[in-house]
Amino acid sequence: MPNNFYFFIGKKYNESEIENLLISVDKKITNIVESFIKGRIVKESNSLIRLQFSKVLHNVFKGRVPKLSRNISSTKDCVKCGLCLRNCPQGNITFENGHAVFHSKCILCLRCIHICPINVIRYKGKKIDQTQKNIIQVLDLNK
């Protein structure tokens, strides 16, 4: 899937790269579903090194998420449309003093950044390009 954290770590994908990733994922999902319907087992293999690295990375990242989420804020230009509040999977956003406030239950899914119609949600005060705005639009959102 496209990198959600390009502004923090990793690569920022362009539109054609995101489209190619989504096409690839769609094909992969179709194959898995077809195999499941036919009763075939689909199991991907990972190297032991990659698996161990993932576990270590998960433990490190899990402890840092609350600290990282403190860096999310909205500007005074917030129009209080409520899309971020209604669509946060953790119920982590409230409106206070005229703008969205982000609390410590954040899981850094960044849906709020990509769903904001006027892109006023910031990370460390920086404006983030809404690279997944088109992907977010196909979700069943609470409007």
Side-chain angles (χ1 to χ4, degrees):
M1 291 304 294
N3 183 359
N4 245 5
F5 293 95
Y6 71 87
F7 55 88
F8 180 70
I9 190 170
K11 175 187 175 187
K12 178 181 174 183
Y13 292 104
N14 64 39
E15 286 185 36
S16 67
E17 289 173 313
I18 290 173
E19 188 166 328
N20 288 337
L21 280 169
L22 294 175
I23 289 168
S24 167
V25 166
D26 189 46
K27 289 177 184 176
K28 191 172 190 176
I29 290 170
T30 300
N31 289 337
I32 290 170
V33 170
E34 287 174 0
S35 294
F36 177 78
I37 289 170
K38 294 176 182 174
R40 291 192 309 243
I41 296 174
V42 176
K43 185 176 179 181
E44 289 190 11
S45 63
N46 281 320
S47 71
L48 187 58
I49 293 170
R50 184 174 179 176
L51 183 62
Q52 294 302 322
F53 179 73
S54 296
K55 286 180 182 180
V56 169
L57 192 62
H58 168 75
N59 289 333
V60 169
F61 190 68
K62 183 175 71 172
R64 297 213 15 106
V65 166
K67 293 176 185 136
L68 293 172
S69 67
R70 281 186 271 176
N71 296 314
I72 297 176
S73 62
S74 68
T75 70
K76 61 182 167 93
D77 298 326
C78 176
V79 294
K80 295 182 277 206
C81 67
L83 280 173
C84 60
L85 184 133
R86 288 190 302 277
N87 290 285
C88 176
Q90 292 298 104
N92 188 54
I93 305 169
T94 59
F95 284 119
E96 299 172 21
N97 300 322
H99 60 88
V101 175
F102 301 83
H103 301 282
S104 62
K105 296 185 297 184
C106 182
I107 58 172
L108 291 177
C109 69
L110 306 181
R111 181 183 287 190
C112 55
I113 288 174
H114 297 290
I115 199 174
C116 182
I118 57 173
N119 199 10
V120 298
I121 299 174
R122 305 288 185 256
Y123 183 79
K124 290 187 175 182
K126 293 183 207 169
K127 184 176 183 176
I128 306 303
D129 290 339
Q130 295 175 312
T131 58
Q132 296 186 27
K133 190 156 187 88
N134 293 335
I135 299 167
I136 290 290
Q137 290 174 352
V138 301
L139 296 176
D140 185 20
L141 300 173
N142 297 314
K143 302 252 176 187

